[in-house]
Amino acid sequence: MPQPSSQPRISRRDLLRGKGKTSKLVFRPETGPGGDVLIAIFLRGAMDGLHTVPPLGDDHYARQRPTLAIPEPGKAKAALDLDGYFGLHPDLDPLLELWQERRLAVVHAIGSPDTTLSHFEAMQTMERGVSDGNTTASGWLSRHLASLAVENTSPVRALAFGDVLPKSLQGSLSATAVRSLKEFRLGIPKDWDAGFRGLLTSLYEEGQDPASRAGRNILELLESLEKLDPDTYQPERSAKYPETEFGRGLRQVAQFVKADVGLEVASVDLGGWDAHVAQVALMTGLMTQLSQGLHALYTDLGDRMRRVTVLAMTEFGRRVHENSGLGTDHGRASAMFVLGGGVRGGKVYGRWPGVAPAQLDKDGNLRVTTDYRDILSEVVTKRLRNPHADRVFPDYTPRPLSLFEPVT
């Protein structure tokens, strides 16, 4: 017959405060690298980097795009000057402030080794973080989480806002796909809520076994998240997110960051960039969403942006020469937006290959001069403080661009 425990009974309140001979309940790891929260935005559909960040100083840009070229500063609907050579599309105007504060950078002529120009295959390649022929099934973010030595037991270590996990997070046991914060509810009828919660608490409050500790963590997490209501949330400093699925996703990411419940990676999509026809009309709303969303996130998080890194990338770019439908077809290189407190911003990174006919690849595309993994691997090592970039990108030797300050 089991003997009664000689240990004093510990209340749930004391347990959650870390008193007694129990492990302190935390969601942020007490040991380990302690890097940034990474917000990975995928611009699905192949964003045209020549449209969003036009090379105004390249004499051949306007010749290649007699209708679609963005005018130089001083003209109607002109591009916003970045550095005297590159401009920013006027619909991305909210990003100019972040650029001037040197928290936003652009990497141009960036892309993946995939040359098929298939949306599906290019996205698969980029999200897996591998080269052609590599059959690794897991995503680069899942390998990052698996290789990072942290004591973070939070069930929301990695979140994807959407119906399914993106390929970048597939293979990770600590990643969850959600559409709304409202999904983090016990779903208990009001008339028996207190009793059921009390029962759950009594099941886990004393045990020191892994199941009891996990149960306490989950209950405390749910208690914290149930206080976060996406419908009534008021962003700080009057930040205004776009009233779209993308804007709502970023707003909820901000809530998770502020709640400090152990979030390390968040994934948000903004799709619809496949501009074969009527590119100007198609991209206007998307650029507005992207720029307003990033500006709102930056404003809302305030000082917390010191430990947040945002990457906005796309699977490939568009053809340099416009087509007869006033759009552009599938191309190769595009642009990446990088935002955060550790970003050496106010600069366009990468080697510009030029858009003169002789400078393009055999299919008339902007050449890729920066492999996207050069940026991701630098994020992994410098901002996420993961020393195992070789496990995250197993078949690639990165060439960092010194785009980030290391976390201190």
Side-chain angles (χ1 to χ4, degrees):
M1 181 175 180
Q3 298 297 313
S5 172
S6 60
Q7 298 292 329
R9 182 179 179 84
I10 301 169
S11 71
R12 179 174 182 268
R13 183 182 297 275
D14 285 347
L15 188 67
L16 297 182
R17 290 178 177 176
K19 296 183 179 180
K21 295 182 178 180
T22 62
S23 59
K24 184 179 180 182
L25 180 64
V26 292
F27 297 117
R28 295 295 272 168
E30 291 185 306
T31 62
D36 284 2
V37 175
L38 173 64
I39 303 174
I41 299 172
F42 209 112
L43 308 174
R44 299 188 188 275
M47 180 198 73
D48 184 4
L50 296 174
H51 196 77
T52 52
V53 187
L56 303 175
D58 191 316
D59 293 337
H60 292 272
Y61 166 65
R63 300 174 192 173
Q64 293 278 25
R65 296 189 169 188
T67 304
L68 295 181
I70 312 303
E72 297 179 357
K75 299 180 180 179
K77 298 182 180 180
L80 308 170
D81 179 58
L82 292 181
D83 60 5
Y85 192 92
F86 290 100
L88 190 68
H89 193 285
D91 289 338
L92 295 170
D93 175 70
L95 297 183
L96 188 61
E97 177 186 347
L98 313 186
W99 172 273
Q100 292 169 342
E101 292 184 8
R102 299 189 180 277
R103 292 306 178 203
L104 175 72
V106 174
V107 186
H108 223 315
I110 190 170
S112 84
D114 182 87
T115 59
T116 65
L117 303 189
S118 157
H119 291 295
F120 177 78
E121 291 187 23
M123 283 188 280
Q124 290 274 308
T125 297
M126 183 170 280
E127 292 193 290
R128 287 190 298 129
V130 296
S131 300
D132 291 338
N134 188 305
T135 58
T136 300
S138 61
W140 74 274
L141 284 173
S142 68
R143 294 194 297 274
H144 156 66
L145 293 170
S147 63
L148 192 63
V150 295
E151 295 181 6
N152 184 356
T153 58
S154 173
V156 292
R157 191 180 175 198
L159 288 176
F161 284 84
D163 294 320
V164 297
L165 278 178
K167 190 68 178 178
S168 57
L169 280 169
Q170 288 182 14
S172 173
L173 297 177
S174 54
T176 305
V178 296
R179 293 197 65 84
S180 171
L181 270 166
K182 294 181 180 180
E183 296 180 24
F184 291 99
R185 302 287 188 272
L186 282 175
I188 305 171
K190 291 183 178 180
D191 57 347
W192 54 288
D193 178 85
F196 187 72
R197 288 177 186 273
L199 176 61
L200 288 176
T201 299
S202 66
L203 288 175
Y204 300 116
E205 68 178 346
E206 292 187 16
Q208 293 306 302
D209 57 283
S212 294
R213 290 195 296 270
R216 290 193 294 270
N217 273 2
I218 291 174
L219 286 174
E220 177 67 3
L221 174 69
L222 288 174
E223 185 176 319
S224 298
L225 293 180
E226 285 175 348
K227 299 175 183 177
L228 307 179
D229 187 345
D231 294 332
T232 60
Y233 173 65
Q234 294 296 319
E236 297 180 44
R237 287 165 286 277
S238 301
K240 294 184 179 180
Y241 294 89
E243 291 299 326
T244 61
E245 185 174 352
F246 174 69
R248 288 187 288 271
L250 288 183
R251 184 168 57 188
Q252 292 182 88
V253 170
Q255 289 181 267
F256 271 98
V257 172
K258 293 179 182 181
D260 199 25
V261 290
L263 180 70
E264 294 181 43
V265 174
S267 173
V268 185
D269 284 354
L270 179 58
W273 298 86
D274 201 11
H276 289 282
V277 178
Q279 177 164 309
V280 172
L282 176 70
M283 290 186 64
T284 291
L286 292 170
M287 289 186 290
T288 299
Q289 283 194 66
L290 177 63
S291 58
Q292 290 181 352
L294 291 181
H295 187 275
L297 180 74
Y298 180 85
T299 303
D300 188 11
L301 290 181
D303 288 344
R304 297 179 183 87
M305 279 299 302
R306 291 179 298 176
R307 297 300 295 274
V308 173
T309 295
V310 183
L311 301 177
M313 53 189 149
T314 192
E315 66 265 32
F316 50 71
R318 315 298 299 187
R319 192 67 55 84
V320 172
H321 193 75
E322 62 185 58
N323 61 30
S324 59
L326 300 182
T328 51
D329 299 320
H330 295 181
R332 286 283 285 122
S334 186
M336 175 187 288
F337 296 97
V338 187
L339 172 66
V343 175
R344 293 169 173 162
K347 180 179 177 180
V348 177
Y349 288 79
R351 181 175 61 82
W352 181 244
V355 293
Q359 296 171 320
L360 307 180
D361 70 11
K362 61 181 179 61
D363 297 314
N365 298 317
L366 182 68
R367 294 182 182 275
V368 173
T369 58
T370 298
D371 190 294
Y372 74 105
R373 290 168 294 183
D374 293 339
I375 308 304
L376 303 191
S377 62
E378 191 174 348
V379 170
V380 166
T381 56
K382 288 188 177 179
R383 298 310 303 175
L384 307 186
R385 300 188 71 178
N386 186 343
H388 304 297
D390 57 331
R391 301 182 193 176
V392 182
F393 304 104
D395 59 353
Y396 186 71
T397 301
R399 294 170 291 181
L401 275 64
S402 297
L403 201 157
F404 301 94
E405 299 282 356
V407 173
T408 56

